[in-house]
Amino acid sequence: MTTCGEVLVKWLELYGVDTVFGIPGVHTVELYRGLGRSDIRHITPRHEQGAGFMADGYARASGRVAACFIITGPGMTNIATALGQAYADSIPMLVISSVNRVAELGSGDGRLHELPSQTRIISGLTAFSHTLLTPAELPQVLARAFAVFNSARPRPVHIEIPIDVIAQPSELPATASAVVPSPPAPCPDAVARAAQMLKAAKNPVILLGGGTVSAAAEAQRVAEFLDTPVAMTNNAKGVLPPGHPLSLGSQQSLQPVRDLVRSADVVLAVATELGETDYDIFFNGGFHIDGDIIRVDIESEQLMRNFLPRLAILSDARLFFQQLSKELDIGSHTSIKTSSPGSLKVSAVMRQLAAQKPPDQQLHEAILQCIQTRLPDVIIAGDSTQLIYSGHLGYEARRPRSWFHSATGYGTLGYGLPAAIGAKIARPRHPVVAIVGDGGAQFTLPELACAVENKIPVILLLWNNQGYSEIKKYMRNNDITPLGVDIYTPDFLQLARGFGCTAHRAGHMEQLVDLLPQATASDVPVLIEIDENLFRAVP
C-alpha cells in the first residue's frame, strides 16, 4: 500500500522540490514515511518560524520553491509570522500541515493541537489555504499551488491534510506529470500605446519592483534605449548593476530622487506596489507622482492600488519588457554613456544624495561595501537593524536575488539568520551573510544549531548596540520616555561557541576586512560581532 503521504512526496519531486524544512511531530510522521526514500533533503529548524524564514530565504536566493512540513495547531501559529513576511513580499512558499481527523474537524473536543479552524487563521496570509479531504484531490491542489508560484503573483500556499487522510492508501496516476501554466503576456495594443507614451516623453522615469528580478537584462536594455533614470525597490536591487549611469539605487524616500520622479512626465512602474515601505520609509507622505503612470503587474488588483495609472498592463515583467523592446525596435545590444541626458540627471541627483548622507549612514555603508568587496559573490540576508536600514537606501547589489531583508514589507524581527540559512542551502557556492541586530538575534539565535548540524557555513554579522536603538531614538524624538528598549544583552560570542560556531569580535574596519574571507573557509557558521560603541572605522 502506498499512502497519501508517500504520494505527496513523489508529487513534490515531480514539481522539482528538493528541500523540505520541518520539525516532525506525532501528527506529521506519516508525511515522513516516503521522505527518507526520496531525493528531497530534509532540514530540521529549531522553531517553525525558522522553517518559514528558511523557505523564504531559499526562494529569494534561487527563485525555486521549498516546502515546509508543519504540525497541527502550534506549528501553524508559529509559522504564521514567516507566512506574513512572505505574503507581503510576494515570495512563493509551500506549507503542508497536518490537521485533526476528518470527523474531528471543528468539534471543539479539546483534541491534541486542536484549533477551531486552521484555514481561517492562515487564509489571510496565503494565496489560498486548502483542506485535503481525500487523496484523490492531491494532484489538483498541488497544480493550483504551482500555478500561483509560477504564473501569478507568487505568495505562500497552505495545504492541510487530516492525519487519517495522510495515512489513507493512494496511488500516483500512471501518467503523472507536473503541468505549470505560462505566465501572462501583455496585450499587444497596450504595449504599443506604452511605447508611444515613452517615446513622446521628455522626462521619463522607470520604477522597478521585486517582480523584475527575472527580467534584469530586458529592463536594462529598455532603460538604456530610452536613456531613462531607474529607481529600484529593495527587492529589485541588482536589476541594474552598481554604478550604472542610469541607476538611482533604492533611494525613492529621499528628496532628490522624489523631486526627479515628480518632475517626470511619464513614469513606467513595473512589478512594484508603489507602497510605503519602498517609497516612504520615513513615513512623511512625501512621495508623489504628477506625470502619467504606466503600470505593469502580474496581479490585476495591484495595478490599481496606491497610484491610479493612465495605462494599466496585466503581464509578467519579463514578457512585458521583451514585447516593449520589439515595439521600440531595440536591437540586441544597447549601451549608455555617462554624458547622456539621462545619465547627467542621475549623476546630479547622486551628488546631492552623497552630500546629504549623515555620518552614521556613511559608516554603515562602508561596512556593507567592505562585505561586498571582500566577498564579491555575497548574498546578504538582513533583519530589522541599523546596518540594513542604511543599506536599504545606499547598498547596490551586484545582481538580483543577492540582497533581501525583513525591514520592509511585513517588517518582522528574527528573519535574517534563518533566511540566510535557507539562502545558503539554495546557493551553497555563494558566501551568505546574515546581518542581524542584538535584539533581533535573540528571536531566532537557536537556528545556529540547525546550521551547525547540517554544515551550513553562514556568516552572522551581529550589529550590537545593546538594545532596540532605533525605537529608543524614535521614542525620544516623540517626547516619550524610553521604556522596554534597553534590553539585557548576552555574551553572543560565548553563546555562538556553545552552539559549535566560530566567533570573533571586530573592533575596527581592518579587522573586519581580515575576518570576512577567513570566515568563508569555515565549515561551521561564523559569528562576527560589531559593538557599535567600540567599533572604529580605522584602527
Side-chain angles (χ1 to χ4, degrees):
M1 182 188 74
T2 303
T3 67
C4 178
E6 291 173 290
V7 168
L8 168 65
V9 171
K10 292 179 182 179
W11 272 104
L12 292 180
E13 288 185 296
L14 284 174
Y15 278 103
V17 173
D18 61 13
T19 305
V20 166
F21 300 97
I23 303 173
V26 294
H27 278 192
T28 58
V29 290
E30 284 296 332
L31 290 176
Y32 286 79
R33 185 177 292 278
L35 200 57
R37 298 191 299 273
S38 75
D39 293 327
I40 296 175
R41 181 181 186 183
H42 182 270
I43 302 291
T44 306
R46 297 308 184 256
H47 191 281
E48 287 87 0
Q49 187 177 107
F53 288 150
M54 288 177 194
D56 178 299
Y58 180 99
R60 293 191 201 230
S62 67
R64 305 192 306 274
V65 177
C68 299
F69 282 1
I70 304 298
I71 65 161
T72 321
M76 287 309 301
T77 52
N78 282 344
I79 203 174
T81 296
L83 287 170
Q85 184 70 44
Y87 186 90
D89 282 352
S90 303
I91 304 302
M93 180 192 307
L94 179 60
V95 176
I96 309 243
S97 82
S98 54
V99 72
N100 295 87
R101 294 175 178 83
V102 173
E104 299 165 358
L105 293 176
S107 68
D109 290 338
R111 304 280 178 177
L112 178 65
H113 302 326
E114 183 180 14
L115 285 169
S117 173
Q118 285 187 162
T119 56
R120 280 208 306 267
I121 292 171
I122 300 302
S123 59
L125 304 171
T126 56
F128 69 86
S129 176
H130 179 89
T131 305
L132 193 81
L133 295 178
T134 68
E137 295 177 67
L138 186 60
Q140 186 179 80
V141 73
L142 284 174
R144 287 175 56 205
F146 281 87
V148 169
F149 301 150
N150 293 280
S151 312
R153 184 172 183 175
R155 276 176 159 157
V157 167
H158 170 232
I159 302 170
E160 66 174 14
I161 312 177
I163 54 178
D164 52 341
V165 175
I166 297 174
Q168 283 181 15
S170 177
E171 291 296 332
L172 189 69
T175 57
S177 61
V179 178
V180 178
S182 301
C187 168
D189 289 344
V191 177
R193 186 178 168 196
Q196 291 172 357
M197 292 174 65
L198 289 165
K199 285 190 287 189
K202 297 189 183 332
N203 296 300
V205 168
I206 297 176
L207 305 177
L208 300 178
T212 64
V213 292
S214 298
E218 293 83 358
Q220 182 174 332
R221 190 177 301 121
V222 167
E224 290 175 351
F225 179 82
L226 295 171
D227 190 26
T228 305
V230 177
M232 294 162 284
T233 65
N234 172 69
N235 288 327
K237 281 183 184 287
V239 172
L240 262 61
H244 190 283
L246 294 174
S247 174
L248 295 161
S250 304
Q251 305 181 89
Q252 303 91 305
S253 294
L254 300 178
Q255 199 58 46
V257 177
R258 289 179 163 188
D259 291 342
L260 182 62
V261 172
R262 196 161 194 180
S263 70
D265 52 352
V266 175
V267 173
L268 173 61
V270 183
T272 172
E273 293 177 322
L274 295 176
E276 176 183 80
T277 56
D278 278 309
Y279 296 86
D280 191 20
I281 63 172
F282 301 112
F283 312 117
N284 57 23
F287 181 80
H288 302 279
I289 300 176
D290 293 341
D292 290 334
I293 305 174
I294 303 168
R295 290 195 73 171
V296 181
D297 204 279
I298 203 168
E299 182 185 36
S300 56
E301 287 184 59
Q302 188 59 51
L303 289 166
M304 302 302 167
R305 294 190 181 109
N306 292 316
F307 290 85
L308 289 176
R310 175 77 176 273
L311 177 62
I313 302 175
L314 181 69
S315 177
D316 167 78
R318 187 165 180 262
L319 294 176
F320 165 75
F321 278 119
Q322 288 176 345
Q323 187 62 38
L324 181 63
S325 293
K326 293 178 182 178
E327 195 67 39
L328 293 170
D329 196 21
I330 300 175
S332 61
H333 176 73
T334 60
S335 61
I336 195 74
K337 296 181 179 179
T338 55
S339 59
S340 73
S343 298
L344 292 174
K345 289 179 188 177
V346 170
S347 180
V349 169
M350 298 303 276
R351 285 196 298 271
Q352 293 179 61
L353 291 167
Q356 296 174 7
K357 280 184 185 177
D360 283 353
Q361 185 176 340
Q362 293 179 37
L363 174 61
H364 300 160
E365 289 185 14
I367 293 171
L368 293 171
Q369 186 58 50
C370 173
I371 296 170
Q372 190 179 64
T373 301
R374 299 299 284 167
L375 308 175
D377 295 325
V378 70
I379 295 171
I380 295 177
D383 224 298
S384 293
T385 189
Q386 288 177 332
L387 284 179
I388 294 298
Y389 300 147
S390 294
H392 177 79
L393 295 169
Y395 182 81
E396 294 189 76
R398 290 182 175 173
R399 65 188 178 284
R401 300 191 181 280
S402 63
W403 165 276
F404 42 87
H405 60 72
S406 63
T408 57
Y410 200 52
T412 184
L413 280 167
Y415 170 88
L417 174 58
I421 293 171
K424 185 66 174 177
I425 292 169
R427 295 288 187 216
R429 296 183 180 178
H430 289 261
V432 177
V433 177
I435 299 180
V436 181
D438 58 290
Q442 295 181 67
F443 277 56
T444 51
L445 195 66
E447 298 304 351
L448 283 174
C450 171
V452 170
E453 176 180 80
N454 292 282
K455 295 182 172 57
I456 304 168
V458 295
I459 300 170
L460 173 58
L461 187 69
L462 194 140
W463 180 255
N464 191 344
N465 52 27
Q466 291 79 47
Y468 299 123
S469 179
E470 284 298 302
I471 305 303
K472 185 175 183 177
K473 186 190 303 181
Y474 188 86
M475 285 178 158
R476 285 176 170 165
N477 290 343
N478 288 274
D479 198 27
I480 299 170
T481 301
L483 181 65
V485 290
D486 294 314
I487 61 173
Y488 173 75
T489 304
D491 185 336
F492 287 104
L493 299 186
Q494 185 174 334
L495 282 172
R497 290 166 183 154
F499 278 116
C501 304
T502 302
H504 306 278
R505 182 175 288 116
H508 51 76
M509 192 71 79
E510 287 303 315
Q511 282 186 327
L512 184 61
V513 166
D514 292 337
L515 286 170
L516 286 168
Q518 293 175 26
T520 61
S522 175
D523 60 357
V524 296
V526 176
L527 182 144
I528 301 174
E529 182 183 51
I530 296 178
D531 189 316
E532 181 190 27
N533 297 321
L534 301 177
F535 187 82
R536 302 183 305 281
V538 293

